[in-house]
Amino acid sequence: MQRIKQFSIIISIFLLSFASSADNTKADTPPLIRYNSIHHPTIAPNGMVVSQNKLASQVGADILKQGGNAIDAAIATAFALAVTLPRAGNIGGGGFMMVHIEETDQQFALDYRELAPELATRDMYLDANGDVDRQKAWFTHQSAGVPGTVAGMYLAWEKWGSLKWKKLIEPAIRLADKGMSVSYDLGTNLQNRLDRLTKNPITKQYLYKKDGSAYKAGEILRQRDLAKTLKLIARKGAKGFYQGKTADLIVADMQANDGLITHADLKNYQAIIREVVSGEFSVQGAENTADNYEIVSMPPPSSGGIHIIQMLNTLEHLPLKEAGRDTAEGIHLLVEAMRVAYADRSAHLGDPDFYDVPIEFLTSEAYGKQIASDIDQAQARKSSDVAPVSIAKKESPDTTHFSVVDKFGNAVSNTYTLNFSYGSGIMVKGAGFMLNNEMDDFSSKPGVPNAYGLVGSEANSIAPNKRPLSSMTPTFVFKKNAQGGKDLFMVTGSPGGSRIITAVLQNILNATVHGLNIAESTHAPRMHHQWVPDQVFVEPGISDDTVEELEAMGHKVKKVSTMGSIQAIQVIDGYKYGAADPRRPDAEAIGH
Ligand code: DON
């Protein structure tokens, strides 16, 4: 059955490559290079992989070169990142994959988010005083949701893969087994997290040297137990993780450490293909079709897609282009749109299998217009006037996004995570991989912020087999064409906790409203507002003058470090333009 399906996919992809190669690989016209720009994307005529780690981008690009499609390359990249980027790449976490199939012009939303174990309870993180026990919610075996990554990758392969499953995991196995040269980024990161990560003896054994010190750049890190687990997955598919030896190791680790995940939880885990959320967006003042776009993104249990569309629906009624990018006027309009979106998020968003999320209302043109009409273009509102206030705190920097486009025009936009950098910090004894701490994305107590300062309600309370609400926003932007159809224009996404949605929003606005190339758009300084706390966060690069003007309009501004790590691709006339976010040193766009 599966072979037949695979075979037919191979045939259709072959046909497709003949049918559409003229449209998707334009070697006859030169690519677009703006020599007046400081920032240039990586250009390729066929395919492109952009990820936060160059070794993993290379694995994906090699799969494209060998004739694999975007989905094959995405799967291989995801497994490679699980080895090369241990703080976010994973098999012990979960995420979301958006898939675009060029031949049929279909988009799919693959949900492989972690799930609360059967034994999870609503108040499991509350202590005797009814306060949230952060230590328990963040750094224990109980902080882990049932991992979804392997099930997600396997389902993607069953549906759309064209090469052999084993072939897609072999590069990751090699990197784990033979070892990889530690980069400055990885060495520094492991050194910075040494105290937290070496508290767990298993993590210390797997990610640190025998004497307990961090690997230095250029030294070789081998992950042999991880390689063994990957070999089982290569041989047995998803069953190599959710059943048999790997499952036994996970459950033994849970039982020895007061964890909740059982054999039944693992066996019952299902990745789900959901209906995408989409919305139209036109640049204000545009009179021709070239400036009309369609956004296709991730539905709940991610909040990302809904709020990107909601904010674009709002902003298209405001003079964003005239206000300009990185100006106080422009940032003010963004803040006021973000404020409402994050207020709505706190009340209305949760796992759609448990809670009726008002998707249609939130993404409707009419609601966006109404939000826009309530915005004072010169004066800041207070979040307490938009909805009840609460207090928040910091971001922990690591989830990871990658984007892939192949020579056939198919695309993948994938964001996956362990939640925090290195998740719970706990690695599974014998199996060599890190457990997520995704349970903290639930609202442990209504109104009390989680690690990203996000507050939630009943919609996102803990329940067995429920998925925690996410901000991950893997997204496609299509450009409407003169024939009434649409062409793939952008593939984008980012890590950054609550800041993901606003980072992706600005990446889209920079490339559409402000006309930047994808490198400029990705590199440009960003800002963020999430309703609570009532503060505008600005990156280095937003000028002091702008900050002063914002303050004069009534905003509280906080200068912060970098936010997000966008890995994006733009498609123009068949050329693929890749941009890896310079905010992460090992990120790279590799084309062919
Ligand atoms: O799903 C979410 O929204 C979070 N668990 C994402 C965490 C994240 O992006 C951390 N990295 N910056």
Side-chain angles (χ1 to χ4, degrees):
M1 208 14 216
Q2 190 175 297
R3 282 231 181 94
I4 294 172
K5 197 191 303 155
Q6 235 188 295
F7 184 64
S8 67
I9 289 175
I10 293 170
I11 297 273
S12 60
I13 282 173
F14 257 111
L15 291 175
L16 169 68
S17 69
F18 285 114
S20 58
S21 58
D23 287 335
N24 285 303
T25 51
K26 282 254 174 71
D28 46 341
T29 51
L32 198 66
I33 302 178
R34 293 184 193 143
Y35 286 101
N36 61 355
S37 177
I38 297 171
H39 306 275
H40 295 282
T42 301
I43 305 174
N46 298 311
M48 178 75 65
V49 180
V50 192
S51 87
Q52 215 176 296
N53 179 274
K54 55 183 78 129
L55 296 172
S57 297
Q58 191 62 59
V59 164
D62 288 345
I63 291 288
L64 290 181
K65 268 184 221 149
Q66 290 160 33
N69 63 24
I71 295 88
D72 295 320
I75 295 166
T77 304
F79 280 109
L81 284 166
V83 180
T84 62
L85 190 74
R87 62 190 192 249
N90 68 79
I91 55 173
F96 303 114
M97 179 188 283
M98 292 291 303
V99 174
H100 165 66
I101 304 293
E102 176 74 8
E103 187 186 24
T104 53
D105 188 18
Q106 279 177 299
Q107 293 81 43
F108 301 92
L110 174 55
D111 165 2
Y112 58 96
R113 181 73 161 165
E114 299 91 329
L115 206 62
E118 181 72 39
L119 292 172
T121 55
R122 188 180 181 283
D123 298 333
M124 62 188 277
Y125 299 119
L126 301 189
D127 63 18
N129 300 323
D131 296 326
V132 177
D133 180 345
R134 302 271 180 226
Q135 169 65 24
K136 188 173 177 189
W138 293 353
F139 301 126
T140 66
H141 283 71
Q142 290 202 18
S143 62
V146 183
T149 297
V150 177
M153 295 304 140
Y154 197 69
L155 183 55
W157 175 76
E158 282 185 315
K159 290 277 175 200
W160 307 290
S162 71
L163 299 183
K164 285 211 170 88
W165 170 250
K166 224 173 108 198
K167 197 174 171 59
L168 308 180
I169 307 176
E170 270 162 8
I173 296 174
R174 234 182 349 263
L175 285 160
D177 215 6
K178 304 261 177 289
M180 59 172 176
S181 173
V182 169
S183 67
Y184 280 110
D185 178 40
L186 178 57
T188 306
N189 200 266
L190 285 170
Q191 176 62 44
N192 292 347
R193 313 266 161 173
L194 190 136
D195 283 351
R196 186 186 136 208
L197 294 177
T198 56
K199 278 203 184 92
N200 181 279
I202 309 301
T203 304
K204 183 174 172 185
Q205 177 197 327
Y206 285 137
L207 290 184
Y208 289 84
K209 294 202 272 194
K210 283 212 169 70
D211 65 2
S213 66
Y215 285 92
K216 298 212 170 21
E219 291 181 336
I220 302 295
L221 170 63
R222 297 181 72 175
Q223 302 179 72
R224 292 196 188 92
D225 280 356
L226 176 58
K228 280 189 209 150
T229 302
L230 289 168
K231 279 180 195 164
L232 281 173
I233 297 167
R235 216 164 346 116
K236 301 187 170 169
K239 284 190 182 149
F241 184 86
Y242 294 95
Q243 296 179 39
K245 184 166 175 231
T246 313
D248 290 347
L249 288 168
I250 297 171
V251 174
D253 207 41
M254 287 289 154
Q255 285 173 351
N257 295 286
D258 218 14
L260 301 184
I261 297 173
T262 63
H263 274 293
D265 284 323
L266 292 167
K267 200 162 171 219
N268 294 337
Y269 182 86
Q270 299 275 354
I272 301 172
I273 295 175
R274 298 188 186 272
E275 214 175 295
V276 302
V277 288
S278 64
E280 313 237 312
F281 167 63
S282 46
V283 175
Q284 207 198 24
E287 272 156 24
N288 56 47
T289 55
D291 287 318
N292 291 329
Y293 299 91
E294 185 172 330
I295 314 296
V296 180
S297 189
M298 196 67 212
S302 177
S303 57
I306 286 183
H307 295 308
I308 282 283
I309 292 167
Q310 178 183 354
M311 289 188 282
L312 290 171
N313 281 342
T314 304
L315 292 165
E316 71 181 348
H317 298 290
L318 296 168
L320 206 57
K321 200 179 171 85
E322 293 76 355
R325 204 174 50 82
D326 294 351
T327 62
E329 293 78 9
I331 291 175
H332 168 72
L333 298 177
L334 294 183
V335 168
E336 294 305 325
M338 290 172 183
R339 196 192 301 279
V340 179
Y342 279 81
D344 287 343
R345 183 189 192 279
S346 76
H348 301 297
L349 271 283
D351 182 345
D353 295 341
F354 284 73
Y355 184 84
D356 196 8
V357 181
I359 300 180
E360 239 173 82
F361 175 78
L362 292 173
T363 58
S364 68
E365 295 268 357
Y367 184 47
K369 197 168 176 182
Q370 182 199 318
I371 298 170
S373 69
D374 290 342
I375 291 174
D376 180 333
Q377 292 184 22
Q379 194 61 35
R381 287 176 292 183
K382 286 199 169 58
S383 284
S384 53
D385 294 338
V386 174
V389 187
S390 187
I391 308 136
K393 60 162 288 252
K394 63 173 195 205
E395 163 191 28
S396 156
D398 272 299
T399 290
T400 194
H401 178 84
F402 59 83
S403 297
V404 184
V405 179
D406 66 22
K407 64 180 173 186
F408 314 115
N410 304 312
V412 168
S413 182
N414 188 95
T415 317
Y416 73 158
T417 186
L418 292 162
N419 193 25
F420 287 13
S421 247
Y422 304 96
S424 61
I426 297 167
M427 293 182 84
V428 178
K429 190 173 172 186
F433 66 87
M434 189 74 73
L435 285 169
N436 68 81
N437 61 350
E438 217 69 62
M439 292 291 285
D440 186 59
D441 276 348
F442 280 118
S443 170
S444 297
K445 187 176 175 182
V448 175
N450 75 352
Y452 304 102
L454 293 166
V455 287
S457 63
E458 212 44 58
N460 189 31
S461 62
I462 305 174
N465 300 314
K466 187 173 173 183
R467 285 157 151 88
L469 182 60
S470 174
S471 299
M472 292 188 282
T473 314
T475 298
F476 296 129
V477 181
F478 294 88
K479 201 166 190 172
K480 296 299 190 79
N481 59 34
Q483 293 75 44
K486 64 184 200 290
D487 302 314
L488 184 65
F489 177 67
M490 257 178 98
V491 183
T492 181
S494 176
S498 55
R499 297 141 193 233
I500 293 173
I501 310 173
T502 53
V504 173
L505 175 76
Q506 289 164 87
N507 196 230
I508 295 172
L509 292 172
N510 288 346
T512 55
V513 175
H514 301 299
L516 302 190
N517 77 34
I518 196 68
E520 294 165 326
S521 168
T522 299
H523 301 183
R526 297 194 270 263
M527 48 68 64
H528 172 75
H529 191 286
Q530 61 179 51
W531 173 59
V532 179
D534 193 349
Q535 258 175 340
V536 188
F537 298 93
V538 295
E539 279 190 334
I542 304 285
S543 77
D544 288 347
D545 288 353
T546 300
V547 170
E548 274 172 32
E549 279 182 56
L550 281 166
E551 284 168 346
M553 291 166 111
H555 293 286
K556 288 194 203 86
V557 183
K558 188 169 180 199
K559 293 183 184 176
V560 292
S561 170
T562 59
M563 298 186 282
S565 169
I566 296 257
Q567 312 299 330
I569 301 174
Q570 202 170 40
V571 184
I572 303 170
D573 288 340
Y575 284 104
K576 318 311 184 283
Y577 297 78
D581 202 322
R583 291 167 180 79
R584 294 287 176 273
D586 279 352
E588 193 156 308
I590 302 183
H592 88 104

